Amino acid sequence: MAYLIVTYDIGENRVNKVRKTLKKYFMWVQNSVFEGDITEGKLEKCKRELLKIIKEDADSIYFYSLENRLNYRKTVLGIEKELTGNIL
Amino acid sequence: MAYLIVTYDIGENRVNKVRKTLKKYFMWVQNSVFEGDITEGKLEKCKRELLKIIKEDADSIYFYSLENRLNYRKTVLGIEKELTGNIL
């Protein structure tokens, strides 16, 4: 189990599919950012699904894996999205 | 000194100014993501500059502060931007 921050930069034609896939595994916290706890197995499943959607020479998804969510401190300027109740 | 991941979601009219400000303090690693080591003093200076640009009821900047860059593991699907030589 690890806590992940996931950021992405995806071509317009594919971005909705990528969001829907990430939404199954993580919480949507900003336009291009998801967060959440995930097991190694589920993370591998998520990556396999994403690889079927993205163009690897044009798109980009970063997975920042922290051992747990206590390993970072988050501060916000401006509005902060709720960690629950995200509607896609 | 801390290692930060910075993500932002900014209105179109203000996004270039936000990018230019973040570029002074961090490395640009993805469309909406910067990373880098920064001192507490410089971080406060950066935040003060950003607060003059953003609309706090419309824009959003997240600062994920890690004690050091060894506290996370980054994996990438697709393309990865170089950590140096970013041209704005």
Side-chain angles (χ1 to χ4, degrees):
Chain A
M1 199 73 143
Y3 194 77
L4 264 78
I5 301 160
V6 184
T7 68
Y8 55 90
D9 183 11
I10 305 288
E12 211 178 326
N13 296 336
R14 298 173 296 280
V15 69
N16 280 340
K17 278 191 180 174
V18 165
R19 276 200 191 118
K20 276 183 191 166
T21 301
L22 287 171
K23 183 80 172 31
K24 292 196 289 177
Y25 297 93
F26 299 98
M27 296 169 294
W28 198 12
V29 296
Q30 202 181 54
N31 183 39
S32 299
V33 186
F34 285 78
E35 284 180 36
D37 281 306
I38 193 165
T39 62
E40 194 63 32
K42 280 195 178 168
L43 180 57
E44 287 313 307
K45 191 164 175 286
C46 173
K47 286 181 179 175
R48 280 197 303 274
E49 289 181 41
L50 290 167
L51 283 170
K52 287 180 193 163
I53 302 166
I54 69 170
K55 284 196 181 176
E56 288 187 65
D57 57 352
D59 301 331
S60 165
I61 307 177
Y62 291 173
F63 296 85
Y64 297 95
S65 174
L66 314 174
E67 273 174 39
N68 66 67
R69 63 194 301 170
L70 303 176
N71 268 345
Y72 79 91
R73 196 165 44 92
K74 179 180 180 179
T75 55
V76 176
L77 295 186
I79 51 175
E80 178 170 17
K81 266 193 191 151
E82 293 292 331
L83 281 176
T84 53
N86 297 322
I87 292 161
L88 196 61
Chain B
M1 199 73 144
Y3 194 77
L4 264 79
I5 301 161
V6 184
T7 69
Y8 56 90
D9 183 11
I10 306 287
E12 211 178 326
N13 297 337
R14 298 174 295 280
V15 70
N16 281 340
K17 279 191 179 174
V18 165
R19 275 200 193 118
K20 277 183 190 166
T21 301
L22 286 171
K23 183 80 172 29
K24 291 196 289 179
Y25 297 92
F26 300 98
M27 296 168 293
W28 198 13
V29 296
Q30 201 180 56
N31 183 39
S32 301
V33 185
F34 284 78
E35 284 179 36
D37 281 306
I38 193 165
T39 62
E40 193 64 33
K42 280 194 179 170
L43 180 57
E44 288 313 307
K45 191 164 176 288
C46 173
K47 286 181 179 175
R48 279 196 304 272
E49 290 181 40
L50 291 168
L51 283 171
K52 287 179 192 162
I53 302 165
I54 69 169
K55 285 197 180 176
E56 289 187 65
D57 58 350
D59 301 331
S60 165
I61 307 177
Y62 291 174
F63 296 84
Y64 296 96
S65 173
L66 315 173
E67 272 174 41
N68 66 67
R69 62 195 299 171
L70 304 176
N71 267 346
Y72 79 91
R73 197 165 43 92
K74 179 179 179 179
T75 54
V76 176
L77 295 186
I79 51 174
E80 179 172 17
K81 266 195 192 148
E82 294 294 331
L83 280 177
T84 55
N86 297 321
I87 292 161
L88 195 60

